[in-house]
Amino acid sequence: MKHHHIQRTSMAFFLASVILEAGMRTDKITAEDHSVTMGISLGLILFAIGMNVSIVKKMGIPKREKNISQAIGLLCAVYALVIYVILPI
């Protein structure tokens, strides 16, 4: 059950990053320096990926939980690639 909590927390960080990015792109969140808000958003994504990698690397975890963590990690990585490389502000 501990791993489900970590997976939910990583999804919460992912959703917080999505909301932050959407707010920045629609100008609902304004800041004098966009690099600070982008840095916070990127930090949330990297932390979410790191949480899922920690689950995947542990021994004795059921295969289903590893697969879920791999899928969440892949989703976060693809999101980061699209937002920060393909469609930067």
Side-chain angles (χ1 to χ4, degrees):
M1 286 309 249
K2 177 184 175 188
H3 305 293
H4 293 293
H5 177 69
I6 294 172
Q7 289 170 342
R8 281 189 219 116
T9 304
S10 74
M11 286 303 296
F13 286 139
F14 173 74
L15 291 175
S17 176
V18 169
I19 291 169
L20 190 61
E21 282 291 328
M24 285 183 351
R25 290 178 187 272
T26 59
D27 291 329
K28 292 188 180 189
I29 296 175
T30 57
E32 290 184 25
D33 191 9
H34 278 297
S35 63
V36 172
T37 50
M38 266 183 94
I40 292 170
S41 176
L42 181 60
L44 289 170
I45 285 294
L46 293 176
F47 196 64
I49 291 171
M51 292 172 81
N52 287 299
V53 167
S54 72
I55 292 173
V56 171
K57 288 178 67 176
K58 288 183 181 174
M59 301 297 256
I61 305 297
K63 187 167 177 68
R64 185 176 189 285
E65 287 187 35
K66 279 189 178 186
N67 289 342
I68 290 170
S69 287
Q70 286 175 336
I72 293 170
L74 181 64
L75 174 72
C76 292
V78 169
Y79 168 77
L81 176 73
V82 168
I83 292 298
Y84 298 107
V85 176
I86 297 174
L87 302 172
I89 292 179

